[in-house]
Amino acid sequence: LALYFHIGEREEKCIIEDIPSDTLVVGNYKVQRWDIHIRDFLESAPGLGMFVTVSSPSGEVLLSKLYGPQAMFSFTSYHTGEHIICFQSNSTRIAVIAGSKLRIHLDIRVGEHFLDESVIQAKDKVNEINVRLEHLIEQIHHVTKEQDYEREREEKFRKTSEETNSNILWWAIAQTLILISVGIWQIKSLRDFFIAKKLV
Amino acid sequence: MLLRGYGTAGPWGWLTLLLVACTAWASEITFELPDNAKQCFYEEIVRGTKCTLEFQVITGGHYDVDCRLEGPDGAVLYKEMKKQYDSFTFTASRNGTYKFCFSNEFSTFTHKTVYFDFQVGDDPPLFPRENRATALTQMESACVSIHEALKSVIDYQTHFRLREAQGRSRAEDLNTRVAYWSIGEAIILLVVSIGQVFLLKSFFSDKRTTTTRVAS
Protein backbone atom coordinates (compact mmCIF):
# COMPACT_ATOMS: atom_id res chain seq x y z
CA LEU A 1 0.00 0.00 0.00
CA ALA A 2 2.52 2.50 -1.13
CA LEU A 3 0.73 5.30 -2.96
CA TYR A 4 -1.19 7.78 -0.82
CA PHE A 5 -2.94 11.12 -1.08
CA HIS A 6 -4.66 13.58 1.23
CA ILE A 7 -8.28 14.65 1.42
CA GLY A 8 -10.32 16.77 3.77
CA GLU A 9 -12.24 15.00 6.50
CA ARG A 10 -15.70 15.31 5.01
CA GLU A 11 -14.56 15.29 1.41
CA GLU A 12 -15.50 12.58 -1.03
CA LYS A 13 -12.85 11.38 -3.44
CA CYS A 14 -13.75 9.33 -6.45
CA ILE A 15 -11.70 7.41 -8.95
CA ILE A 16 -12.90 6.14 -12.28
CA GLU A 17 -12.38 2.65 -13.64
CA ASP A 18 -13.36 2.04 -17.25
CA ILE A 19 -13.69 -1.72 -17.40
CA PRO A 20 -15.39 -4.42 -19.45
CA SER A 21 -18.13 -6.59 -17.95
CA ASP A 22 -17.46 -9.57 -15.68
CA THR A 23 -14.24 -8.08 -14.43
CA LEU A 24 -13.22 -8.46 -10.83
CA VAL A 25 -11.80 -5.36 -9.22
CA VAL A 26 -10.05 -5.62 -5.87
CA GLY A 27 -9.17 -2.54 -3.84
CA ASN A 28 -6.99 -2.19 -0.79
CA TYR A 29 -6.92 0.93 1.26
CA LYS A 30 -5.68 2.30 4.54
CA VAL A 31 -6.77 5.59 6.04
CA GLN A 32 -5.01 7.66 8.66
CA ARG A 33 -6.11 10.80 10.39
CA TRP A 34 -3.99 13.85 11.02
CA ASP A 35 -3.53 14.55 14.69
CA ILE A 36 -3.02 18.17 15.55
CA HIS A 37 -1.18 17.45 18.78
CA ILE A 38 1.61 15.25 17.53
CA ARG A 39 1.49 16.98 14.12
CA ASP A 40 1.59 13.74 12.27
CA PHE A 41 -0.71 11.07 10.99
CA LEU A 42 -1.89 8.63 13.62
CA GLU A 43 -1.10 5.02 12.99
CA SER A 44 -4.67 4.08 13.79
CA ALA A 45 -7.61 6.18 14.84
CA PRO A 46 -10.40 4.33 16.63
CA GLY A 47 -13.82 4.75 15.12
CA LEU A 48 -12.45 5.97 11.83
CA GLY A 49 -14.04 4.26 8.88
CA MET A 50 -14.59 4.76 5.21
CA PHE A 51 -17.73 4.57 3.16
CA VAL A 52 -16.86 2.87 -0.08
CA THR A 53 -19.42 3.34 -2.83
CA VAL A 54 -19.14 1.80 -6.25
CA SER A 55 -21.50 2.98 -9.00
CA SER A 56 -21.97 1.24 -12.31
CA PRO A 57 -22.06 3.16 -15.60
CA SER A 58 -25.87 3.16 -15.56
CA GLY A 59 -25.88 4.79 -12.14
CA GLU A 60 -26.91 1.82 -10.03
CA VAL A 61 -24.90 1.19 -6.90
CA LEU A 62 -22.91 -2.02 -6.91
CA LEU A 63 -21.33 -1.67 -3.51
CA SER A 64 -22.01 0.67 -0.63
CA LYS A 65 -20.48 -0.31 2.66
CA LEU A 66 -18.77 1.11 5.66
CA TYR A 67 -15.36 -0.40 6.25
CA GLY A 68 -12.81 0.13 8.98
CA PRO A 69 -9.61 2.15 8.76
CA GLN A 70 -7.91 -0.57 6.76
CA ALA A 71 -9.81 -2.91 4.51
CA MET A 72 -10.04 -4.75 1.26
CA PHE A 73 -13.10 -4.49 -0.94
CA SER A 74 -13.98 -6.05 -4.26
CA PHE A 75 -16.72 -6.03 -6.83
CA THR A 76 -17.45 -7.59 -10.18
CA SER A 77 -18.71 -5.40 -12.98
CA TYR A 78 -21.93 -6.50 -14.69
CA HIS A 79 -21.92 -3.92 -17.44
CA THR A 80 -19.11 -2.47 -19.47
CA GLY A 81 -18.26 1.13 -18.85
CA GLU A 82 -17.04 3.66 -16.36
CA HIS A 83 -17.43 2.51 -12.81
CA ILE A 84 -16.90 5.13 -10.14
CA ILE A 85 -15.37 4.15 -6.81
CA CYS A 86 -15.92 6.79 -4.12
CA PHE A 87 -14.38 7.11 -0.71
CA GLN A 88 -15.78 9.16 2.10
CA SER A 89 -14.89 8.98 5.75
CA ASN A 90 -17.53 8.46 8.38
CA SER A 91 -16.22 11.36 10.39
CA THR A 92 -19.14 13.14 11.97
CA ARG A 93 -17.24 16.15 13.22
CA ILE A 94 -19.28 19.16 12.33
CA ALA A 95 -16.63 21.75 13.05
CA VAL A 96 -13.72 20.93 10.81
CA ILE A 97 -10.55 21.74 12.68
CA ALA A 98 -8.08 23.74 10.67
CA GLY A 99 -5.47 21.51 9.13
CA SER A 100 -7.46 18.38 9.69
CA LYS A 101 -7.09 15.96 6.87
CA LEU A 102 -6.95 12.29 6.07
CA ARG A 103 -4.27 10.28 4.38
CA ILE A 104 -5.56 7.49 2.18
CA HIS A 105 -3.27 4.72 0.95
CA LEU A 106 -4.78 3.11 -2.09
CA ASP A 107 -4.16 0.15 -4.33
CA ILE A 108 -6.70 -0.91 -6.94
CA ARG A 109 -6.19 -3.99 -9.05
CA VAL A 110 -8.28 -4.72 -12.09
CA GLY A 111 -8.60 -8.09 -13.74
CA GLU A 112 -5.74 -10.42 -13.48
CA HIS A 113 -3.28 -9.77 -10.70
CA PHE A 114 -4.04 -12.72 -8.49
CA LEU A 115 -0.57 -14.11 -8.39
CA ASP A 116 0.19 -14.46 -4.71
CA GLU A 117 -2.75 -16.34 -3.26
CA SER A 118 -2.84 -19.25 -5.68
CA VAL A 119 0.89 -19.85 -5.65
CA ILE A 120 0.74 -20.56 -1.94
CA GLN A 121 -1.05 -23.77 -2.82
CA ALA A 122 1.63 -24.84 -5.29
CA LYS A 123 3.48 -27.66 -3.66
CA ASP A 124 5.56 -29.08 -6.46
CA LYS A 125 7.02 -28.26 -9.82
CA VAL A 126 4.10 -29.44 -11.95
CA ASN A 127 1.60 -27.58 -9.85
CA GLU A 128 3.66 -24.45 -10.00
CA ILE A 129 3.72 -24.48 -13.79
CA ASN A 130 0.02 -25.27 -13.74
CA VAL A 131 -0.70 -22.26 -11.63
CA ARG A 132 1.46 -20.05 -13.81
CA LEU A 133 -0.31 -21.25 -16.95
CA GLU A 134 -3.70 -20.59 -15.40
CA HIS A 135 -2.55 -17.12 -14.53
CA LEU A 136 -1.43 -16.57 -18.11
CA ILE A 137 -4.76 -17.85 -19.43
CA GLU A 138 -6.53 -15.43 -17.12
CA GLN A 139 -4.41 -12.59 -18.45
CA ILE A 140 -5.26 -13.55 -22.02
CA HIS A 141 -8.97 -13.59 -21.19
CA HIS A 142 -8.65 -10.14 -19.71
CA VAL A 143 -6.93 -8.91 -22.86
CA THR A 144 -9.69 -10.41 -25.01
CA LYS A 145 -12.43 -8.81 -22.92
CA GLU A 146 -10.74 -5.46 -23.13
CA GLN A 147 -10.47 -5.83 -26.88
CA ASP A 148 -14.18 -6.57 -27.23
CA TYR A 149 -14.98 -3.56 -25.13
CA GLU A 150 -12.61 -1.51 -27.26
CA ARG A 151 -14.46 -2.59 -30.38
CA GLU A 152 -17.76 -1.37 -28.87
CA ARG A 153 -16.25 1.96 -27.96
CA GLU A 154 -14.70 2.46 -31.35
CA GLU A 155 -18.10 1.82 -32.93
CA LYS A 156 -19.65 4.48 -30.72
CA PHE A 157 -16.82 6.84 -31.67
CA ARG A 158 -17.37 6.20 -35.35
CA LYS A 159 -21.11 6.75 -34.98
CA THR A 160 -20.54 10.08 -33.26
CA SER A 161 -18.14 11.20 -35.97
CA GLU A 162 -20.56 10.19 -38.72
CA GLU A 163 -23.38 11.96 -36.91
CA THR A 164 -21.29 15.12 -36.71
CA ASN A 165 -20.54 14.82 -40.40
CA SER A 166 -24.19 14.47 -41.40
CA ASN A 167 -25.16 17.20 -38.91
CA ILE A 168 -22.79 19.63 -40.57
CA LEU A 169 -24.06 18.72 -44.03
CA TRP A 170 -27.75 18.85 -43.11
CA TRP A 171 -27.49 22.12 -41.23
CA ALA A 172 -25.45 23.73 -44.00
CA ILE A 173 -28.16 22.79 -46.53
CA ALA A 174 -30.90 23.98 -44.16
CA GLN A 175 -29.17 27.30 -43.59
CA THR A 176 -28.68 27.85 -47.31
CA LEU A 177 -32.36 27.13 -47.93
CA ILE A 178 -33.38 29.48 -45.13
CA LEU A 179 -31.09 32.13 -46.57
CA ILE A 180 -32.52 31.82 -50.07
CA SER A 181 -36.16 31.65 -49.01
CA VAL A 182 -35.86 34.54 -46.55
CA GLY A 183 -34.06 36.57 -49.22
CA ILE A 184 -36.86 35.99 -51.68
CA TRP A 185 -39.45 36.81 -49.02
CA GLN A 186 -37.60 40.04 -48.16
CA ILE A 187 -37.52 41.27 -51.74
CA LYS A 188 -41.14 40.33 -52.35
CA SER A 189 -42.36 41.86 -49.15
CA LEU A 190 -40.49 45.13 -49.71
CA ARG A 191 -41.62 45.34 -53.34
CA ASP A 192 -45.25 44.87 -52.32
CA PHE A 193 -44.75 47.42 -49.57
CA PHE A 194 -43.29 50.07 -51.89
CA ILE A 195 -45.97 49.46 -54.50
CA ALA A 196 -48.62 49.86 -51.82
CA LYS A 197 -47.00 53.08 -50.64
CA LYS A 198 -46.85 54.33 -54.25
CA LEU A 199 -43.11 54.92 -54.06
CA VAL A 200 -42.37 52.69 -57.07
CA MET B 1 8.66 -20.21 10.75
CA LEU B 2 7.25 -21.46 7.51
CA LEU B 3 10.70 -21.42 6.01
CA ARG B 4 12.09 -23.85 8.56
CA GLY B 5 9.31 -26.36 8.08
CA TYR B 6 10.54 -27.18 4.58
CA GLY B 7 14.04 -28.44 4.11
CA THR B 8 14.61 -27.02 0.70
CA ALA B 9 12.66 -23.82 1.51
CA GLY B 10 10.40 -24.51 -1.47
CA PRO B 11 7.69 -22.14 -2.65
CA TRP B 12 7.14 -20.73 0.82
CA GLY B 13 10.64 -19.41 0.97
CA TRP B 14 10.55 -17.29 -2.08
CA LEU B 15 7.04 -16.14 -1.40
CA THR B 16 8.10 -14.79 1.98
CA LEU B 17 11.13 -13.26 0.32
CA LEU B 18 8.82 -11.69 -2.24
CA LEU B 19 6.64 -10.15 0.43
CA VAL B 20 9.58 -8.83 2.37
CA ALA B 21 11.65 -7.47 -0.48
CA CYS B 22 8.68 -6.11 -2.38
CA THR B 23 9.79 -2.77 -3.73
CA ALA B 24 8.00 -3.32 -7.00
CA TRP B 25 4.72 -1.51 -7.29
CA ALA B 26 2.55 -0.13 -10.05
CA SER B 27 -0.43 2.09 -9.38
CA GLU B 28 -2.67 3.39 -12.08
CA ILE B 29 -5.54 5.67 -11.19
CA THR B 30 -8.04 7.60 -13.30
CA PHE B 31 -9.54 10.50 -11.41
CA GLU B 32 -11.37 13.71 -12.05
CA LEU B 33 -9.56 16.96 -11.44
CA PRO B 34 -12.01 19.84 -10.92
CA ASP B 35 -11.25 23.32 -12.25
CA ASN B 36 -8.80 25.36 -10.21
CA ALA B 37 -7.80 22.26 -8.29
CA LYS B 38 -4.57 20.51 -7.58
CA GLN B 39 -4.20 16.86 -6.62
CA CYS B 40 -1.01 15.44 -5.18
CA PHE B 41 0.08 11.86 -4.69
CA TYR B 42 2.91 10.63 -2.52
CA GLU B 43 4.99 7.51 -2.51
CA GLU B 44 7.89 6.35 -0.41
CA ILE B 45 10.70 5.12 -2.56
CA VAL B 46 13.92 3.40 -1.69
CA ARG B 47 17.13 4.81 -3.11
CA GLY B 48 18.26 3.32 -6.40
CA THR B 49 14.83 2.22 -7.58
CA LYS B 50 13.97 2.96 -11.16
CA CYS B 51 10.53 4.61 -11.36
CA THR B 52 8.32 5.67 -14.23
CA LEU B 53 5.52 8.19 -14.12
CA GLU B 54 3.17 8.30 -17.07
CA PHE B 55 0.06 10.41 -17.36
CA GLN B 56 -2.57 11.31 -19.90
CA VAL B 57 -5.52 13.67 -19.89
CA ILE B 58 -8.64 11.90 -21.14
CA THR B 59 -11.43 14.46 -21.15
CA GLY B 60 -11.86 18.16 -20.59
CA GLY B 61 -11.08 21.48 -22.24
CA HIS B 62 -7.84 21.41 -24.20
CA TYR B 63 -6.93 18.03 -22.74
CA ASP B 64 -3.90 19.39 -20.89
CA VAL B 65 -2.71 19.55 -17.31
CA ASP B 66 0.29 20.78 -15.32
CA CYS B 67 2.43 18.09 -13.77
CA ARG B 68 5.19 18.38 -11.21
CA LEU B 69 7.33 15.70 -9.58
CA GLU B 70 9.39 16.51 -6.50
CA GLY B 71 11.93 14.55 -4.55
CA PRO B 72 12.06 14.18 -0.76
CA ASP B 73 14.07 17.37 -0.28
CA GLY B 74 11.74 19.41 -2.48
CA ALA B 75 13.98 19.28 -5.52
CA VAL B 76 11.88 19.43 -8.67
CA LEU B 77 12.62 16.43 -10.83
CA TYR B 78 10.03 17.04 -13.50
CA LYS B 79 7.90 20.05 -14.25
CA GLU B 80 5.73 20.55 -17.31
CA MET B 81 2.91 22.97 -17.92
CA LYS B 82 -0.13 22.18 -20.06
CA LYS B 83 0.94 18.76 -21.22
CA GLN B 84 -1.48 16.29 -22.77
CA TYR B 85 0.56 13.17 -22.33
CA ASP B 86 4.01 12.40 -21.05
CA SER B 87 6.18 9.67 -19.65
CA PHE B 88 9.06 10.30 -17.26
CA THR B 89 11.57 7.76 -15.98
CA PHE B 90 13.96 8.46 -13.13
CA THR B 91 16.08 6.64 -10.60
CA ALA B 92 15.53 7.59 -7.01
CA SER B 93 18.73 9.18 -5.75
CA ARG B 94 17.59 9.31 -2.14
CA ASN B 95 15.31 7.48 0.23
CA GLY B 96 12.16 9.34 1.07
CA THR B 97 8.74 10.44 0.04
CA TYR B 98 8.39 11.50 -3.56
CA LYS B 99 5.46 13.69 -4.46
CA PHE B 100 3.81 14.32 -7.80
CA CYS B 101 1.01 16.79 -8.40
CA PHE B 102 -1.44 17.46 -11.19
CA SER B 103 -2.76 20.96 -11.39
CA ASN B 104 -5.76 22.32 -13.25
CA GLU B 105 -5.41 25.78 -11.72
CA PHE B 106 -5.08 27.50 -15.07
CA SER B 107 -8.56 26.43 -16.09
CA THR B 108 -11.60 28.38 -14.97
CA PHE B 109 -14.47 26.07 -15.71
CA THR B 110 -13.42 22.82 -17.31
CA HIS B 111 -12.61 19.85 -15.20
CA LYS B 112 -10.31 17.24 -16.51
CA THR B 113 -10.13 13.49 -16.20
CA VAL B 114 -6.53 12.47 -15.70
CA TYR B 115 -5.00 9.00 -15.85
CA PHE B 116 -1.60 8.27 -14.40
CA ASP B 117 0.50 5.16 -14.00
CA PHE B 118 3.32 5.21 -11.47
CA GLN B 119 5.60 2.22 -11.67
CA VAL B 120 8.12 1.76 -8.88
CA GLY B 121 10.87 -0.74 -9.45
CA ASP B 122 10.72 -3.69 -11.78
CA ASP B 123 8.20 -6.46 -11.42
CA PRO B 124 9.37 -9.39 -9.34
CA PRO B 125 10.68 -12.24 -11.47
CA LEU B 126 8.23 -15.02 -12.18
CA PHE B 127 10.58 -17.75 -11.12
CA PRO B 128 12.98 -16.11 -8.71
CA ARG B 129 16.60 -17.16 -8.76
CA GLU B 130 17.32 -17.07 -5.05
CA ASN B 131 16.23 -20.56 -4.09
CA ARG B 132 16.80 -22.37 -7.34
CA ALA B 133 19.11 -25.28 -7.82
CA THR B 134 18.96 -25.44 -11.61
CA ALA B 135 18.40 -23.06 -14.45
CA LEU B 136 14.90 -22.42 -15.74
CA THR B 137 13.33 -25.29 -17.61
CA GLN B 138 11.96 -24.73 -21.07
CA MET B 139 8.42 -24.60 -19.75
CA GLU B 140 9.40 -21.96 -17.26
CA SER B 141 11.25 -19.80 -19.76
CA ALA B 142 8.30 -20.10 -22.15
CA CYS B 143 6.05 -18.94 -19.31
CA VAL B 144 8.34 -16.03 -18.62
CA SER B 145 8.39 -14.86 -22.23
CA ILE B 146 4.63 -15.23 -22.60
CA HIS B 147 4.15 -13.26 -19.39
CA GLU B 148 6.42 -10.47 -20.62
CA ALA B 149 4.64 -10.38 -23.98
CA LEU B 150 1.22 -10.23 -22.30
CA LYS B 151 2.38 -7.44 -20.01
CA SER B 152 3.39 -5.38 -22.98
CA VAL B 153 0.10 -6.24 -24.75
CA ILE B 154 -1.81 -4.96 -21.74
CA ASP B 155 0.38 -1.88 -21.69
CA TYR B 156 -0.30 -1.11 -25.35
CA GLN B 157 -3.98 -1.81 -24.83
CA THR B 158 -4.12 0.71 -22.03
CA HIS B 159 -2.44 3.35 -24.16
CA PHE B 160 -4.77 2.66 -27.03
CA ARG B 161 -7.82 2.75 -24.77
CA LEU B 162 -6.78 6.14 -23.39
CA ARG B 163 -6.10 7.60 -26.81
CA GLU B 164 -9.43 6.32 -28.07
CA ALA B 165 -11.22 7.75 -25.02
CA GLN B 166 -9.61 11.11 -25.68
CA GLY B 167 -10.54 11.01 -29.37
CA ARG B 168 -14.10 10.02 -28.58
CA SER B 169 -14.41 12.81 -26.04
CA ARG B 170 -13.26 15.31 -28.65
CA ALA B 171 -15.70 13.91 -31.22
CA GLU B 172 -18.61 14.20 -28.80
CA ASP B 173 -17.61 17.78 -27.94
CA LEU B 174 -17.47 18.58 -31.64
CA ASN B 175 -20.87 17.05 -32.27
CA THR B 176 -22.60 19.09 -29.56
CA ARG B 177 -20.82 22.24 -30.63
CA VAL B 178 -21.83 21.77 -34.27
CA ALA B 179 -25.44 21.14 -33.27
CA TYR B 180 -25.72 24.18 -31.01
CA TRP B 181 -23.94 26.57 -33.35
CA SER B 182 -25.98 25.46 -36.36
CA ILE B 183 -29.29 25.90 -34.56
CA GLY B 184 -28.13 29.22 -33.17
CA GLU B 185 -27.04 30.46 -36.58
CA ALA B 186 -30.31 29.43 -38.23
CA ILE B 187 -32.33 31.25 -35.58
CA ILE B 188 -30.16 34.38 -35.83
CA LEU B 189 -30.51 34.27 -39.60
CA LEU B 190 -34.30 34.16 -39.43
CA VAL B 191 -34.59 36.79 -36.73
CA VAL B 192 -32.21 39.23 -38.42
CA SER B 193 -33.78 38.91 -41.90
CA ILE B 194 -37.34 39.30 -40.70
CA GLY B 195 -36.28 42.10 -38.40
CA GLN B 196 -34.58 43.95 -41.29
CA VAL B 197 -37.75 43.97 -43.36
CA PHE B 198 -39.93 45.25 -40.56
CA LEU B 199 -37.37 47.88 -39.62
CA LEU B 200 -37.19 49.10 -43.18
CA LYS B 201 -40.95 49.23 -43.38
CA SER B 202 -41.09 51.23 -40.18
CA PHE B 203 -38.66 53.83 -41.60
CA PHE B 204 -40.99 54.53 -44.50
CA SER B 205 -44.08 54.65 -42.35
CA ASP B 206 -42.55 57.31 -40.07
CA LYS B 207 -41.31 59.41 -42.98
CA ARG B 208 -44.81 59.46 -44.39
CA THR B 209 -46.27 61.01 -41.26
CA THR B 210 -43.45 63.58 -40.89
CA THR B 211 -43.80 64.75 -44.52
CA THR B 212 -47.55 65.20 -44.10
CA ARG B 213 -46.96 67.22 -40.93
CA VAL B 214 -44.39 69.44 -42.65
CA ALA B 215 -46.69 70.03 -45.60
CA SER B 216 -49.51 71.27 -43.42
Side-chain angles (χ1 to χ4, degrees):
Chain A
L1 282 174
L3 188 77
Y4 64 85
F5 55 95
H6 297 142
I7 61 167
E9 277 217 42
R10 294 297 295 147
E11 213 182 307
E12 185 179 36
K13 192 81 191 130
C14 296
I15 65 170
I16 304 166
E17 288 290 342
D18 198 1
I19 48 179
S21 60
D22 293 324
T23 309
L24 177 66
V25 177
V26 175
N28 254 309
Y29 77 87
K30 176 172 148 184
V31 60
Q32 291 173 300
R33 185 192 267 146
W34 174 264
D35 186 88
I36 203 128
H37 306 291
I38 61 171
R39 300 194 74 76
D40 196 0
F41 285 90
L42 294 168
E43 228 351 270
S44 66
L48 182 65
M50 288 294 271
F51 281 109
V52 179
T53 318
V54 178
S55 336
S56 78
S58 51
E60 60 167 304
V61 176
L62 287 176
L63 174 74
S64 176
K65 261 177 86 168
L66 175 64
Y67 293 93
Q70 181 165 6
M72 184 176 96
F73 62 91
S74 68
F75 67 93
T76 309
S77 60
Y78 295 120
H79 307 289
T80 58
E82 286 191 351
H83 290 72
I84 303 178
I85 306 172
C86 289
F87 299 95
Q88 188 171 30
S89 79
N90 65 343
S91 171
T92 47
R93 292 204 236 171
I94 306 162
V96 178
I97 306 162
S100 156
K101 57 189 178 206
L102 299 173
R103 173 179 288 178
I104 304 182
H105 299 250
L106 193 59
D107 180 36
I108 309 267
R109 285 166 188 265
V110 175
E112 34 56 58
H113 295 267
F114 309 121
L115 198 42
D116 316 71
E117 291 81 41
S118 38
V119 175
I120 294 172
Q121 270 89 50
K123 297 256 197 279
D124 56 25
K125 252 311 176 270
V126 173
N127 252 357
E128 202 182 331
I129 296 274
N130 214 16
V131 162
R132 290 264 170 259
L133 287 175
E134 277 178 24
H135 177 69
L136 286 175
I137 291 173
E138 212 182 319
Q139 264 188 315
I140 296 179
H141 280 154
H142 179 75
V143 168
T144 315
K145 268 194 288 205
E146 282 272 0
Q147 267 190 323
D148 287 337
Y149 183 24
E150 194 52 49
R151 203 181 300 154
E152 270 178 47
R153 275 184 286 205
E154 193 272 336
E155 199 180 312
K156 187 169 150 207
F157 187 176
R158 211 169 356 109
K159 254 195 219 146
T160 309
S161 301
E162 284 171 4
E163 198 186 311
T164 309
N165 193 17
S166 59
N167 251 350
I168 292 174
L169 180 66
W170 197 87
W171 277 107
I173 292 176
Q175 279 179 12
T176 312
L177 287 175
I178 291 176
L179 198 60
I180 294 174
S181 51
V182 167
I184 293 174
W185 174 81
Q186 274 186 328
I187 303 288
K188 267 185 116 181
S189 159
L190 282 173
R191 209 188 78 172
D192 293 342
F193 176 70
F194 286 147
I195 288 173
K197 296 281 181 191
K198 300 189 174 48
L199 291 167
V200 174
Chain B
M1 285 167 288
L2 288 162
L3 275 165
R4 284 181 213 235
Y6 288 64
T8 48
W12 302 100
W14 71 259
L15 184 67
T16 319
L17 202 71
L18 191 77
L19 291 170
V20 161
C22 196
T23 51
W25 211 268
S27 326
E28 52 171 49
I29 293 186
T30 313
F31 66 97
E32 192 167 297
L33 192 60
D35 47 304
N36 282 319
K38 182 172 163 176
Q39 181 73 43
C40 293
F41 296 88
Y42 308 80
E43 178 129 12
E44 280 173 38
I45 306 178
V46 169
R47 177 190 158 151
T49 326
K50 180 170 150 220
C51 313
T52 310
L53 172 67
E54 207 177 308
F55 68 92
Q56 181 161 6
V57 184
I58 306 177
T59 66
H62 289 288
Y63 305 89
D64 52 4
V65 77
D66 295 341
C67 178
R68 188 191 169 92
L69 173 64
E70 286 174 11
D73 45 359
V76 174
L77 296 165
Y78 171 82
K79 181 176 167 190
E80 282 287 346
M81 316 294 276
K82 298 199 180 179
K83 257 315 203 149
Q84 291 189 350
Y85 156 80
D86 207 1
S87 172
F88 177 66
T89 310
F90 67 99
T91 310
S93 53
R94 303 172 39 153
N95 284 344
T97 308
Y98 285 72
K99 154 177 152 173
F100 55 99
C101 298
F102 298 100
S103 162
N104 196 19
E105 281 154 342
F106 56 84
S107 171
T108 34
F109 52 84
T110 43
H111 35 237
K112 315 254 161 89
T113 313
V114 179
Y115 160 91
F116 75 86
D117 179 12
F118 194 54
Q119 169 95 24
V120 175
D122 290 318
D123 284 331
L126 223 50
F127 301 99
R129 305 184 177 287
E130 284 84 15
N131 297 316
R132 298 195 60 83
T134 56
L136 291 178
T137 65
Q138 266 199 319
M139 279 283 273
E140 286 169 349
S141 8
C143 275
V144 168
S145 35
I146 295 177
H147 182 69
E148 293 300 316
L150 279 180
K151 269 205 299 200
S152 87
V153 166
I154 290 176
D155 201 32
Y156 280 127
Q157 239 188 3
T158 309
H159 284 155
F160 187 72
R161 171 174 65 85
L162 295 170
R163 250 199 308 262
E164 185 271 338
Q166 196 191 58
R168 193 162 28 96
S169 168
R170 272 192 222 256
E172 284 167 2
D173 275 346
L174 195 62
N175 197 15
T176 23
R177 244 182 283 157
V178 161
Y180 286 153
W181 272 101
S182 308
I183 295 175
E185 257 190 75
I187 291 174
I188 289 175
L189 204 58
L190 277 170
V191 162
V192 165
S193 325
I194 296 174
Q196 272 180 336
V197 169
F198 284 119
L199 197 63
L200 221 56
K201 286 190 183 173
S202 71
F203 284 156
F204 286 99
S205 313
D206 283 351
K207 216 174 169 185
R208 235 321 143 104
T209 46
T210 41
T211 44
T212 40
R213 248 189 252 136
V214 166
S216 59

